[in-house]
């Protein structure tokens, strides 16, 4: 805070900068040692509104379902709490979504009426932007590439398997679950060949298989491990595995592991 001794020891101009920033974050609190704002109040209010509206508008666009579920007043209260409590570590505007997730997981103080699924819902919404702006390149498999369970495969860098306690892809203002699903909600987000982000609901079995592919010696060994973990017969799953693997290859979601 600006009235700490460490701040008071700063050069006067830096003290003003610090006071200005703290007032932007929390205009209800006076930080200047003499209780005065560093800028004339009328002008200061313009800056306060400008910064808040920019951040609120950006996050509302990035997390539209979360904002709608909370409602306008509670969402704006959450935006102010974020500004007061969180210190973003990135200068990149599109990385602020990650910063908001960090805030929700570390600093956010939920009210009794806030939905328990908020963090997972926000993460699900953030994935679309993260995959869209990711600098990683997807893979393009040859059109005649055939699935081979004895081959080692890896996921495309822009294909993310995700598991949630809540059915995040179904949540809306009119559909707000009161308790987590009995079975995990497993989804696959990926950027396709046209650079469009898609989401697909997948079976937990497929989620675990995809999670195991990168470190397995082959698709077959990954399948055997998952089958053993689930108490299933790996041999009975082979036809399903070949068909599914071919679909994943055709969608450029997996590709043969490079040597």
């Amino acid at each position: 805070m600006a009235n700490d001794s460490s701040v008071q020891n700063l050069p006067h101009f830096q003290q003003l900068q610090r006071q200005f920033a703290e007032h932007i974050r929390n205009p209800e609190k006076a930080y200047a040692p003499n209780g005065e704002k560093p800028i004339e109040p009328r002008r200061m209010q313009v800056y306060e509104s400008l910064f808040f509206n920019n951040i609120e508008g950006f996050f509302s666009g990035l997390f539209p379902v979360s904002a709608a579920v909370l409602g306008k007043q509670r969402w704006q209260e959450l935006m102010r709490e974020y500004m007061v409590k969180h210190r973003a570590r990135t200068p990149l505007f599109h990385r602020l979504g990650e910063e908001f997730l960090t805030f929700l997981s570390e600093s956010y103080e939920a009210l009794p009426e806030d939905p328990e699924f908020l963090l997972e819902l926000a993460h699900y919404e953030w994935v679309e932007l993260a995959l869209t702006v990711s600098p990683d390149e997807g893979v393009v498999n040859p059109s005649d590439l055939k699935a081979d369970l004895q081959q080692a495969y890896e996921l495309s860098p822009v294909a993310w398997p995700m598991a949630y306690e809540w059915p995040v892809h179904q949540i809306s203002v009119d559909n707000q679950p009161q308790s987590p699903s009995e079975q995990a909600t497993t989804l696959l987000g990926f950027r396709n060949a046209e650079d469009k982000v898609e989401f697909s609901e997948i079976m937990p079995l497929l989620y675990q298989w995809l999670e195991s592919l990168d470190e397995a010696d082959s698709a077959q060994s990954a399948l055997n491990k998952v089958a053993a973990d689930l108490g299933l017969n790996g041999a009975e799953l082979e036809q399903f595995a070949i068909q599914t693997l071919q679909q994943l290859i055709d969608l450029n979601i997996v590709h043969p592991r490079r040597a």
Side-chain angles (χ1 to χ4, degrees), residues 13-33:
F13 179 71
Q14 291 183 339
Q15 289 187 39
L16 290 178
Q17 287 181 314
R18 186 70 62 88
Q19 293 162 19
F20 176 80
E22 296 296 350
H23 275 293
I24 290 295
R25 292 187 178 97
N26 190 359
E28 298 302 317
K29 185 166 185 177
Y31 290 91

Side-chain angles (χ1 to χ4, degrees), residues 24 44-55 80:
I24 290 295
M44 193 69 201
Q45 188 174 10
V46 173
Y47 287 108
E48 291 165 3
S49 299
L50 179 63
F51 276 84
F52 182 85
N53 290 339
N54 280 345
I55 290 177
R80 181 61 68 187

Side-chain angles (χ1 to χ4, degrees), residues 51-61 67 72 75-76 79:
F51 276 84
F52 182 85
N53 290 339
N54 280 345
I55 290 177
E56 193 274 337
F58 173 76
F59 282 139
S60 293
K72 183 177 180 179
W75 178 250
Q76 291 189 343
M79 294 297 97

Side-chain angles (χ1 to χ4, degrees), residues 31-48:
Y31 290 91
N34 59 6
E36 296 179 358
K37 291 190 175 185
I39 297 178
E40 189 267 326
R42 181 180 59 83
R43 295 182 179 180
M44 193 69 201
Q45 188 174 10
V46 173
Y47 287 108
E48 291 165 3

Side-chain angles (χ1 to χ4, degrees), residues 118-143:
L118 181 60
L119 175 58
E120 287 197 346
L121 174 60
H123 181 275
Y124 169 66
E125 294 193 272
W126 164 78
V127 166
E128 182 173 4
L129 174 65
L131 284 172
T132 298
V133 303
S134 172
D136 292 326
E137 294 290 336
V139 297
V140 179
N141 290 315
S143 59

